[in-house]
Structure formats: structure tokens, C-alpha cells
Amino acid sequence: SIVHMDILTQISKLSRRLMLVEAAAVAVIASIASGCNTDFLPDDEGQPMVVVNVVATPDRELTARVTRTWPHTQRPKPDVTLSDASVANTVNGRPCGLMTFNDSTKSFTAPYVPTEGDEIAIEVVSEQYGTAAGYTKVPRKVKIDHWSFTPVEFTDFNGIVDDGTSLSYLRRLDIRYSITFTDPAGEENYYMLTGRPYYEPGGGISTDPIISENDTPLEAVFSDRKTFIVFSDRNIDGRTYTFSYTCSYEPFIPIEEWARGRITDRMALCSISRDYYLYLLSVYKKYGDLNSNLENLGLSEPKIIYSNVNPGIGIIGSQSADSIVNDVHDIVCDFVGVDPDYWDQIKKP
């Protein structure tokens, strides 16, 4: 599966890339839960608290990141990993013992791979920083019914290319996807559509109407392109829906990227837990939409990041994904103007 997170709006190509990196870093941290849901606003002057982050998925062992808060004014940043904490997990009401700390990944793991429908609880005890606990139920995967794509080449009149001898408008290849799925009727469902092309500076974007459910009308006007998409089934309950998504390529490929093999686009439709949805939505509102820019200018109230860890900080989320891998090697090579076997040719002695 693909974990994300390229939420944010495209203000410019540079800012989009910076935001994508920031969003990805935030998203990989995702994690632990409890019955007490809170929004947390850090207090640099307060007592350090336990931070627990987990995303439980059916394709890998259960992993938890356990750290603590620290004053952001403190430099250099201290090592905040709580490697000496006790981390216990319970699955479907059955205690499964303590998780093991892995020094290379700075995380705790359990010899258990979640399955759809599992109810997972985690409890952390730190002698110095206190306790934290959380819970999630792994959602059932919603399968992609079918998908198709159309490559479209066009000239971007907002971009200028200087090759050292002349100026020209930027060319771009958009590979436009239609992804169809059927939402289970009569229940609340939450989704994340993730995707990325083979290399940067490409990018995955969507202008699908369904993403406007999380935006105000003003945001819809000024923030209409997003690379990280979360949505609920509030407008599509029980319906078959076709989602639009685009992977973009510019007419150059960094030489080191050819060593990775054939060029592919990768996308995943993730069914996500409600708490994970609220967490990701709060990250988007904090860092990725028009209001975040107003907040940075002091023109709107500060946004807070959702947490369902009690009494600590973090998120325990879970997801199940159905994925697409599309080989676009020949299409992209034709657009760039190189032989599809280019790497095989240049790597020979």
C-alpha cells in the first residue's frame, strides 16, 4: 500500500514540493488512539507529554513510534525517542504482551500483522513522562471496480524554460486517471486517495468535485489543486463513484531515476478509520489550505491538530488499501524524447 500524503494545495511548483515533503513527514508519523478524543494545542512551557503514533495496516507488522514533546525553542533538538517505555498491545480484547523496541527504526514492533476488522488497543507507560493509550478498528478494504487513463500533452504558458540559448514555454504530460469504486451503503466510510508518479518533479493532483466537501467556498476558489486527498462518503453513500486523478510529467528525467527500472504511476484507494480521517483533515487545515496562509499572516485563529490519544498526543489510525500500478514507461519516454531502453544502453561498458 502507499502511505501518502501529499495533501496540500499547489501555490507554485516549488511550494507544492516543499509542502508535499512536509505533509509526507507528518503522515508517516500517524498513530495511537483511545476512547477520549481531543484536539491538542502544544504548550512549550508545559510538562513534556508522551506522543504515540501508529498506522495499523494489513500488509505489515504493527509498529508504534513513541516519543515526547519538547520546547520548539530548544536547540539543538534533543533525542525525544522513549526507547525505555513499556508498550503493550491488545488485539480483539486479547492481551498480546509487550512490543519490542527496534533501535534501527526507533520504533516498537509486535510480531503481528493486522487484519481487516481487528480492534487494536495500545498502552504506553513511561516512568518519567506518564502514560498514554489509544484504540483503532482496522477498516475493511473497498476495492477499485475498474480504472482507465488518458495521456494528454499540453503547453504550460505559466512556465518558462531557459536552456541557455533560448526561452520556451514549459511542456507537460498529464496522465489522467478515472478510478471507479462502490461505497458500502448504510455506514460511515472514510477514504484517502494517494498517488505519485515515478519521479519528482512530477506530481499527483486532483480537482475532483468530491474534495470540496472539506473546503469553504473561498478555499475552493483559491485552493483548487490538491495532491493529498481525504474525503468521506457523506455525498456518495452506497453509490458507485468515479474519481479523477492526474499524474504529471515534465520533459526531463534525472539520470539517476533511470536506474530504478520502468516508469510507473502508483495509486491507492485507502479505507481509513474515522480518527485517522479527522487527523489528516486537521493536518490539511493546519498546513495546506488557504486558512493556513492566513494563519501564518496572523489573520485567522490558529488551527489545532486532532488527537485521539489519552492523555498524551498523537494519533492511532488504521487503513486498508486497494492499489493500482500502471506502467507508463513507453508513454513518458516518447514524451521526453528518449529511447525506452535508454538506461540499458548507457549502463553498458
Side-chain angles (χ1 to χ4, degrees):
S1 65
I2 306 172
V3 180
H4 351 300
M5 291 224 129
D6 317 349
I7 269 189
L8 311 165
T9 55
Q10 175 176 298
I11 298 173
S12 68
K13 292 185 177 176
L14 176 60
S15 63
R16 184 191 68 185
R17 291 172 199 158
L18 292 175
M19 289 190 294
L20 184 133
V21 170
E22 182 177 14
V26 172
V28 169
I29 292 178
S31 146
I32 217 162
S34 89
C36 178
N37 300 328
T38 61
D39 290 320
F40 177 74
L41 186 61
D43 178 3
D44 283 353
E45 302 302 323
Q47 178 69 22
M49 299 180 67
V50 175
V51 181
V52 188
N53 288 303
V54 175
V55 176
T57 67
D59 60 355
R60 62 175 179 267
E61 287 187 336
L62 183 66
T63 301
R65 286 289 310 276
V66 180
T67 58
R68 63 170 176 85
T69 59
W70 83 98
H72 283 222
T73 54
Q74 184 177 348
R75 293 291 184 271
K77 176 186 172 181
D79 182 0
V80 295
T81 303
L82 301 184
S83 58
D84 59 349
S86 296
V87 183
N89 67 302
T90 299
V91 179
N92 299 324
R94 179 176 61 86
C96 298
L98 295 178
M99 301 175 70
T100 303
F101 182 75
N102 186 322
D103 191 60
S104 62
T105 62
K106 302 296 183 183
S107 59
F108 291 84
T109 59
Y112 148 73
V113 177
T115 59
E116 296 175 21
D118 278 357
E119 298 184 19
I120 303 169
I122 295 181
E123 182 178 5
V124 176
V125 178
S126 168
E127 290 186 2
Q128 186 172 1
Y129 300 105
T131 64
Y135 162 88
T136 191
K137 182 176 181 179
V138 182
R140 300 193 181 278
K141 175 171 61 179
V142 174
K143 292 185 176 181
I144 296 171
D145 296 331
H146 57 83
W147 59 275
S148 61
F149 71 97
T150 303
V152 179
E153 295 185 28
F154 70 98
T155 300
D156 183 355
F157 293 103
N158 293 318
I160 301 295
V161 176
D162 183 358
D163 63 5
T165 59
S166 62
L167 299 177
S168 61
Y169 288 115
L170 179 68
R171 295 170 54 239
R172 197 171 81 206
L173 170 68
D174 278 358
I175 300 181
R176 300 175 180 175
Y177 289 89
S178 296
I179 302 169
T180 301
F181 66 98
T182 300
D183 176 74
E187 58 186 60
E188 290 186 359
N189 297 296
Y190 302 92
Y191 299 99
M192 173 173 60
L193 184 71
T194 71
R196 64 154 293 164
Y198 180 79
Y199 70 98
E200 292 298 333
I205 61 173
S206 177
T207 56
D208 194 277
I210 200 171
I211 62 179
S212 64
E213 72 172 39
N214 294 321
D215 289 335
T216 66
L218 190 61
E219 290 165 348
V221 171
F222 287 96
S223 307
D224 63 340
R225 289 161 65 93
K226 298 170 178 62
T227 54
F228 172 96
I229 302 123
V230 291
F231 58 97
S232 70
D233 67 345
R234 75 176 75 160
N235 296 319
I236 59 169
D237 182 45
R239 291 169 45 195
T240 296
Y241 188 80
T242 299
F243 198 98
S244 301
Y245 195 85
T246 298
C247 289
S248 298
Y249 290 89
E250 296 173 1
F252 62 92
I253 300 177
I255 191 68
E256 63 272 12
E257 297 294 343
W258 288 100
R260 296 174 53 189
R262 293 187 66 81
I263 300 172
T264 56
D265 289 340
R266 298 173 180 270
M267 285 149 285
L269 176 66
C270 304
S271 299
I272 60 178
S273 60
R274 179 178 181 274
D275 287 315
Y276 194 21
Y277 168 81
L278 294 174
Y279 167 78
L280 294 175
L281 189 59
S282 69
V283 170
Y284 166 64
K285 292 296 182 182
K286 178 71 174 179
Y287 297 108
D289 70 351
L290 175 65
N291 282 331
S292 70
N293 298 319
L294 295 176
E295 178 184 332
N296 291 336
L297 295 172
L299 300 177
S300 71
E301 292 296 321
K303 308 300 183 301
I304 51 182
I305 303 299
Y306 176 89
S307 174
N308 60 356
V309 175
N310 181 33
I313 304 162
I315 182 71
I316 184 167
S318 52
Q319 66 176 31
S320 298
D322 195 17
S323 301
I324 295 170
V325 179
N326 185 31
D327 188 319
V328 294
H329 187 85
D330 292 346
I331 296 171
V332 175
C333 287
D334 181 66
F335 168 70
V336 175
V338 298
D339 190 307
D341 297 323
Y342 175 68
W343 172 250
D344 290 332
Q345 295 168 7
I346 66 172
K347 72 180 180 180
K348 293 178 181 178

